[in-house]
Amino acid sequence: MEENLKQLQKTGATEIIRIAIFGPESTGKTTLAKQLADHYKTVWVPEYARDYLQKKWDKNQSICDIDDMLPIAYGQTKLENDSALIANKYLFCDTNLMVTKVFSEMYYDFCDTLLDKAARAHQYDLFFLTDIDVPWEKDDIRDSPEGRESIFSVFKQSLIDHKKPFITLSGDKETRLNTAISILNDLALAKETGISSLDFVQIYNHGIPMQNIQKQLSIFKDGIAKTILDRPATINDGILKLSSEDFEKNALFFDTNKSNLILEKFVPASGAATRMFKFLNEFLTEFDINNESVNAYINRKKDTELSLFIIGMDKFPFFKELDSKLRSEHKDFESLDNSYKNYYFIKLLLQSDYFDFANKPKGVLPFHKYADHIATPIEEHLNECALYATVNGNSNLHFTVSKIHQKQFEAIVNSTKDKIEKQSNTKISVDYSYQNQATDTITVDSKNNPFRDKNNELVFRPGGHGALIENLNNQDADIIFIKNIDNIIQNNVETVTLCKKALAGILIRLQQQVFTYLKAIDTNQIHENDIAEIITFLKEELHIEMSKGFHKFTLENKILKIKTKLDRPIRVCGMVKNEGEPGGGPFWIRDTKGKLSLQIVETSQVDLSNPKQEKILAKSTHFNPVDLVCGIKNYNKTKFDLTRFIDHEAGFIVTRNTSGKVMKSYELPGLWNGAMAKWLTVFVEVPLITFNPVKTVNDLLKPAHQPH
């Protein structure tokens, strides 16, 4: 017995990756163990209880009882430890002490102390919990198929209660095997990276590929190379300037050539409006109504934003509704001091049990006041969509939203769409997508170790708007207009419409020429005397120059090189004159091989400690207003895989302070920065009136957001 006790305690994870296949009877554990052992050319540990109980049945038709639990546990442990000595990297266990413990408790309402302790302590690198979605198979020693759901729940809860790392496997035999192999390959990568099994399961359940985690941890450790600016893109040096007549001609070209195209407007609209009201939240946090006036606070803090908000309060589209609510709650409102009136107004605006504006998405907030109603950005985008993203009376609008906000969007769409459709004689199809959770990124502390929350779990953050390249990749339109949710105006919509159509006209014209060349290439109709024309087109229209040694290539290699340059998605980007707005702008940059390209670059991508780079940045003449028109299909009307055209080295590391602790997170290459770095790119100057984002609530006081 003493030797058995030692054997029972001598278990646990080693350099061999031990996998426990865990679950109720007749759930495919043995089949899976055999399949995995065969795939990885290693051994598997059979279920000791099966032979033990079969012999008992054959001997006297007796079934399992409480006295069999410890002998089964001893036998199972010996089988496992013997198998571990000959295993090849992996050891697959058809059952384990946790199974014995669960059965003992479930059938006999008792578990021997030694078995209980050993089962809790016994470590596996991963448990595969086998689901009950496979047919029951009867034999002499199995119980009955009734109550499988409740038994499965007991097994699952035992893993949760004892904090065992587990993943549930469902589906048929082939599906389970393929899923398990994929998981195990990732688990091996995780162990090489020093990631624990519990962390691995959290990463898996979050949907993030292990290769991404490995890469992100390397990025934190090694840093990200800064973008090398060559010079700002300026008028006639990377930025096309159009006359009024040019805008009209290109818009007409778009209208003339769009009849066979599917058009869509794509609006990034995730996230809450927190930053819009940041200065008001700070005011509520720091202001003491009982000991200070609002004017004294403004003077003390030099808070010009708060002063402007109060001065212009009655011009906000939401003023009337809030004012009415205040007066209904405070019967003595008229007699209150102005400090109290202003304080109560701001409190009502932001508090979660009132209007809660800072926690709502920008798209649902009141932005514009018309004679007969208040309009949200959602409504304004529906209006714009009907004006320029319409073909044959049909228009498509796509919002990327947070899942928790979708119902708010739908409610506004449902209440406004019919009216807009009737006014514009356009049928508008609206759909939604979410930022894929699998694009979230891991966070680290100041020493680049994974950051953990109060429950000691890993912390993930959304990967930034660059993650939306996947959402864009899922669209099926020929031409896609991209515009941020907050960049809408109340007046001069005709100018916006003209500019959008003109950008689309430029794109279609360029695209037609690109498609002509590619068709000629694919039908072997390009000859040596055609090469010069194509090179001129690449240089003058798309700002792409061939390498110095290009002229030495054979005709075949020249054609192959040209095709790789032309066969890409295309974007035409509106640029406004730089008037000091923070954010990205158009630049000529050099990659690690010294090649020049036109890119939209954010300030955070630039090495500001380098005087030359800082000087180039300061000379920027234009700003990126996120005003893009995109072509995402090739000449065969087949969608490009947009993930192939990302510069994966163009991400960002963002440092935050959370409860006094440093937290670093990685943001993916931005949607219009690195995520589109390898697209064909054209920059066009557009009027400043087309750029009127609402970054703070006070922006709603600007003329573009006020009624005439």
Side-chain angles (χ1 to χ4, degrees), residues 33-63:
K34 289 178 179 179
Q35 289 175 314
L36 289 170
D38 181 62
H39 178 83
Y40 287 101
K41 296 181 170 38
T42 186
V43 295
W44 65 284
V45 184
E47 184 182 4
Y48 179 80
R50 175 162 291 280
D51 287 341
Y52 175 92
L53 294 175
Q54 188 67 56
K55 289 175 183 177
K56 184 175 180 179
W57 174 265
D58 293 343
K59 185 176 181 180
N60 53 21
Q61 278 71 54
S62 296
I63 61 173

Side-chain angles (χ1 to χ4, degrees), residues 146-170:
E146 282 73 33
R148 295 182 84 194
E149 292 84 359
S150 59
I151 294 172
F152 177 80
S153 297
V154 171
F155 271 79
K156 183 175 182 178
Q157 193 60 47
S158 70
L159 294 174
I160 295 171
D161 291 343
H162 296 100
K163 294 181 170 55
K164 300 294 185 182
F166 77 94
I167 293 172
T168 303
L169 289 181
S170 304

Side-chain angles (χ1 to χ4, degrees), residues 72-142:
I72 288 173
Y74 296 143
Q76 191 65 48
T77 302
K78 186 175 187 308
L79 269 179
E80 183 174 329
N81 289 337
D82 289 347
S83 299
L85 298 174
I86 58 172
N88 173 31
K89 188 173 180 179
Y90 293 96
L91 179 64
F92 299 103
C93 304
D94 181 14
T95 191
N96 54 80
L97 297 186
M98 279 291 290
V99 173
T100 311
K101 167 181 157 62
V102 170
F103 272 123
S104 182
E105 292 172 339
M106 192 165 56
Y107 286 101
Y108 310 114
D109 200 25
F110 171 80
C111 182
D112 186 279
T113 304
L114 180 59
L115 172 57
D116 179 74
K117 184 177 179 180
R120 291 170 183 269
H122 196 152
Q123 298 297 312
Y124 291 92
D125 294 287
L126 188 65
F127 283 76
F128 279 135
L129 174 61
T130 49
D131 205 348
I132 55 173
D133 59 344
V134 292
W136 170 273
E137 294 183 9
K138 178 177 173 55
D139 65 20
D140 292 337
I141 61 173
R142 281 183 175 154

